[in-house]
Amino acid sequence: MSRDDSQNAGSDIASSGATSSFGADVAEKARIAIELINGAVTADELEQLRIRFLGKAGEISLLLRGLGKVPAEQRPAAGQAVNAAKKGVEEAIDAKKGSLQPTGRKAKKSIDVTMPGIRHGVGRRHPLMQTMEELKSVLIGLGFRYDDYPEVETESYNFDSLNTPSWHPSRDMHDSFYTKTGHVLRTHTSAFQTRALKMLKEPPIRAMTAGRCYRRDEIDATHFPIFHQLDVIAVDKSISFSDLKWTLESMLQAILGKDIKLQFRPSYFPFTTPSAEVDVFYRGRWMELLGSGMMRPEVLRNGGIDPDVYQGFAFGIGIDRLTMARFGIDDIRLLYANEQAFLSQF
Ligand code: DAH
């Protein structure tokens, strides 16, 4: 065999070894090997082929070892044929190596490590939810339980059971959202009060809920038709207004800091007597924050609690305004726009 072009090595071997059937076998094996080698795509594949044909137990290596069994007079020719086959396969492998693409592993090594990486953003709670969760956890620490209550409410729980008469302006179609089934989107979280009393039954009861409320409103920097409240009730045998004051002070100091001041202003709510609106002095100004009072006997009775035995306090706090004060947000609409750039600041 004079040519060392590995592409054609197989046919050279075939013609030189065709004198015996052993030689023909060898040539055929080499031809197959070279064809496979030429078709290899990756270095891994090529290495597998090298092992298959030239490895210790490789097909061509075994032929070499089997030479002893060939009749003595045919042995020189057979030996020549096997060696030629081996050489041809080796040359085909060498020739192929140079032209192969780097394998996946090699390609990884060539990644430019100075390129900026892919940043996976870490999610965070919406500022409204941060305030809500903090209030909840302070109150849970004070012994209150938390439950979710319906946002689509009956008029009865939202108004009647809270002693809110039918002439009350909040019942007007222009002030609230009604469904076709006669339900109302809760106008305040206070709608939970008699539901909670009925569910929990036995005082002492310390309960709260929080979440979305809905009222018809023109949208501007301080008004939005969706807003968030947290409502709290405590019912027991000797609950007084001072329990309410202490609870409010503890809760707001935990959220806004020890140096805040509270101011109770007499007010009116149909479901509490006496009632107070509470303002908090925070960062140099007074801010109206919540409504509160002692639960009216009608409300306790509507919840199945005997008002001659038990008293209760209640308060409801607006989460949006508190969140805006804490984080220095001056437009309520920002809380509902879902702007990534805005939200990622908190
Ligand atoms: N629900 C009232 C409102 O939305 C706020 C409120 C006042 C809640 C007094 C209370 C309360 O629990 O006792 O304006």
Side-chain angles (χ1 to χ4, degrees), residues 187-188 190 193 215 229 231-232 269 271-272 291-293 314-316:
T187 59
H188 52 181
S190 307
Q193 292 186 7
R215 286 181 204 172
Q229 283 188 338
D231 235 84
V232 177
F269 298 103
F271 42 95
T272 47
S292 66
F315 67 85

Side-chain angles (χ1 to χ4, degrees), residues 4-198:
D4 60 8
D5 176 359
S6 64
Q7 299 283 334
N8 298 312
S11 50
D12 288 350
I13 296 161
S15 53
S16 72
T19 49
S20 69
S21 72
F22 181 85
D25 281 355
V26 172
E28 177 60 10
K29 200 141 270 173
R31 194 190 60 75
I32 292 167
I34 288 163
E35 204 173 290
L36 289 171
I37 287 162
N38 288 338
V41 177
T42 66
D44 273 353
E45 211 180 318
L46 187 63
E47 175 61 7
Q48 290 308 313
L49 290 168
R50 190 193 65 76
I51 293 166
R52 174 174 160 192
F53 290 102
L54 302 178
K56 256 190 200 155
E59 294 179 23
I60 290 179
S61 312
L62 289 180
L63 287 174
L64 260 174
R65 261 188 256 162
L67 276 176
K69 288 182 194 139
V70 176
E73 66 278 10
Q74 291 176 17
R75 211 171 286 152
Q80 254 181 9
V82 178
N83 278 321
K86 192 179 168 211
K87 195 167 167 242
V89 172
E90 281 169 352
E91 282 170 359
I93 288 174
D94 284 348
K96 188 72 192 176
K97 257 184 198 161
S99 69
L100 277 183
Q101 297 288 328
T103 61
R105 212 176 274 164
K106 275 186 185 151
K108 250 188 195 161
K109 275 188 197 150
S110 69
I111 281 177
D112 180 356
V113 293
T114 64
M115 294 269 285
I118 298 165
R119 203 180 281 268
H120 295 284
V122 179
R124 67 186 75 208
R125 272 190 209 282
H126 192 283
L128 282 172
M129 295 302 121
Q130 287 181 36
T131 304
M132 203 156 102
E133 291 304 319
E134 281 178 47
L135 287 169
K136 271 159 76 172
S137 73
V138 173
L139 288 162
I140 283 169
L142 294 177
F144 290 83
R145 60 177 282 155
Y146 179 87
D147 296 280
D148 282 327
Y149 286 83
E151 284 176 34
V152 182
E153 215 8 313
T154 61
E155 280 197 66
S156 166
Y157 280 117
N158 196 81
F159 297 121
D160 302 85
S161 74
L162 292 174
N163 205 32
T164 305
S166 53
W167 48 259
H168 197 278
S170 64
R171 299 186 72 143
D172 197 303
M173 290 296 280
H174 297 286
D175 289 300
S176 306
F177 292 104
Y178 288 88
T179 67
K180 285 192 180 127
T181 55
H183 288 76
V184 60
L185 299 191
R186 70 178 173 195
T187 59
H188 52 181
T189 41
S190 307
F192 100 110
Q193 292 186 7
T194 51
R195 273 188 185 275
L197 295 177
K198 281 189 200 169

Side-chain angles (χ1 to χ4, degrees), residues 240-260:
S240 71
F241 205 91
S242 56
D243 295 313
L244 168 65
K245 271 191 89 174
W246 182 86
T247 307
L248 284 175
E249 252 158 23
S250 309
M251 181 186 81
L252 291 171
Q253 280 179 353
I255 301 291
L256 299 175
K258 283 262 178 260
D259 49 350
I260 53 157

Side-chain angles (χ1 to χ4, degrees), residues 32 69 72 75 85-86 99 167 171 183 190 199 201 205 207-208 227 230 232 240 248 263-264 282 291 295 308 339 344:
I32 292 167
K69 288 182 194 139
R75 211 171 286 152
K86 192 179 168 211
S99 69
W167 48 259
R171 299 186 72 143
H183 288 76
S190 307
M199 177 177 84
K201 292 188 179 84
I205 291 171
M208 64 169 148
F227 57 99
L230 172 106
V232 177
S240 71
L248 284 175
Q263 172 174 279
F264 288 72
Y282 178 61
M295 295 173 81
D308 293 328
E339 291 278 354
S344 62

